[in-house]
Amino acid sequence: MCGNPNTRLLSRLVIDFLLLLAIYGAALVVLPQQLATAQSGFHCSDASLKYPYRQPWLTKVHLTVAVVALPAAFVLVVEMLRAAVVPSSAELRQRFVFVGVRIPSFISECYKAVGVYLFGLGLTLLAIRLTKHATGRLRPHFFDICQPTWGEEGESCSDYSAENSTRFLEHFACTEFAASQDLLALVRHSFPSGFASSTCYAMGFLILYAQARLFAPWLRLVRATLQLACGSLALVVCWERISTYQNHLADVAAGAALGSLIAIFATVSVAHLFAEVRVKRRQWPRNEQIYGYAGYYSRATYGY
């Protein structure tokens, strides 16, 4: 039964689905409910926590479009370009057959690209969630949102003199009705920047994917344009998180580095976008009609 091609293909689909379900379930459901955020303290004189709160102009809807809808459309456009302009003899194609129906290479390539991308995105979300809860770093607008008080008499930073303003405070409570519960729940989740990590992963993956897939000479200008657009979008998101005081500069830099590293891991180690295999090529001598000889040459392949 294991030798049946239909069974192997169906098993592969089920395993891929269960793996993605486990990763996203842990990152989006299990860990937020089970992990406790580290209780980090502060100094009343810490100027990096005294920025005003500004409403961000990038929401979770924009993030979803940038890391889900845009990459799916990007992969679709790239594979359509390849199917239209790249001759089938110029590349290696892995063909699948299911219940007697040959699956077009266009569909199989899109499935492999999207599958690897979603796997890397799940790892990114998992790393973001673990790091945010483990560090518990306060956001730049901490004082504006929380307005912390401590002690039985409800002391605050405004009651402290210059002599003891540098006292490190770990046990405090946010002022009741100072902000909504949603904002108070996020005030300790500054490091790393989730927006920067997710966007840099998505754009980094697409840049490397375009570099590997759009290798034809007549597609170089299209490839460079798409890569420039992806890099610009990542920079815009990083700048938005800093300019609206949602994250510290170090948080955004760490998030961008995290997303970029996972993008490299997904494309190089998981998808093997830039791997080369030896391909057997048969050549016929000019004066021989029956016998020939075989040679080998290296060709970049794509698959996982």
Side-chain angles (χ1 to χ4, degrees), residues 37-295:
T37 304
Q39 302 296 311
S40 56
F42 63 92
H43 295 278
C44 285
S45 60
D46 191 350
S48 64
L49 303 178
K50 296 182 178 180
Y51 289 94
Y53 173 76
R54 292 182 179 179
Q55 184 69 29
W57 50 273
L58 289 179
T59 64
K60 291 184 178 180
V61 176
H62 299 110
L63 181 64
T64 303
V65 172
V67 303
V68 178
L70 181 59
F74 189 97
V75 171
L76 182 63
V77 170
V78 169
E79 294 303 329
M80 289 178 62
L81 287 174
R82 291 184 58 79
V85 302
V86 178
S88 58
S89 59
E91 64 173 354
L92 296 175
R93 294 180 182 271
Q94 185 178 5
R95 302 185 182 278
F96 297 95
V97 178
F98 185 66
V99 294
V101 179
R102 182 181 295 274
I103 300 176
S105 298
F106 170 77
I107 296 178
S108 63
E109 296 297 333
C110 288
Y111 170 79
K112 289 186 290 185
V114 173
V116 173
Y117 173 80
L118 291 178
F119 173 74
L121 180 60
L123 293 182
T124 304
L125 296 177
L126 196 62
I128 292 172
R129 183 61 61 184
L130 289 173
T131 310
K132 281 182 177 292
H133 283 79
T135 57
R137 187 176 186 182
L138 303 175
R139 292 186 182 271
H141 52 250
F142 167 71
F143 284 111
D144 192 17
I145 291 296
C146 181
Q147 300 179 18
T149 58
W150 60 90
E152 298 180 356
E153 299 180 359
E155 300 175 277
S156 63
C157 288
S158 59
D159 301 329
Y160 268 63
S161 62
E163 297 179 357
N164 53 14
S165 61
T166 57
R167 176 185 175 188
F168 186 73
L169 299 167
E170 292 184 283
H171 305 287
F172 61 91
C174 292
T175 303
E176 188 176 4
F177 305 124
S180 65
Q181 292 299 320
D182 293 336
L183 288 178
L184 293 177
L186 297 175
V187 77
R188 294 180 180 272
H189 293 167
S190 184
F191 182 88
S193 172
F195 274 68
S197 300
S198 303
T199 307
C200 287
Y201 164 76
M203 298 304 106
F205 182 94
L206 296 182
I207 289 173
L208 295 174
Y209 176 75
Q211 184 69 29
R213 298 295 283 165
L214 299 178
F215 59 83
W218 52 85
L219 291 176
R220 291 176 180 174
L221 183 59
V222 176
R223 180 186 66 193
T225 303
L226 293 175
Q227 290 174 327
L228 179 61
C230 291
S232 300
L233 179 58
L235 290 176
V236 168
V237 173
C238 291
W239 173 249
E240 188 273 345
R241 305 311 289 175
I242 298 174
S243 62
T244 56
Y245 308 130
Q246 298 298 312
N247 300 97
H248 302 277
L249 177 60
D251 304 335
V252 174
L258 174 64
S260 301
L261 289 176
I262 297 181
I264 295 174
F265 168 75
T267 53
V268 176
S269 300
V270 180
H272 304 292
L273 284 179
F274 302 97
E276 291 187 351
V277 296
R278 299 189 71 191
V279 181
K280 189 175 183 179
R281 176 177 57 190
R282 183 170 297 278
Q283 298 177 346
W284 297 95
R286 295 181 179 179
N287 298 328
E288 295 288 343
Q289 298 299 326
I290 299 178
Y291 301 101
Y293 63 93

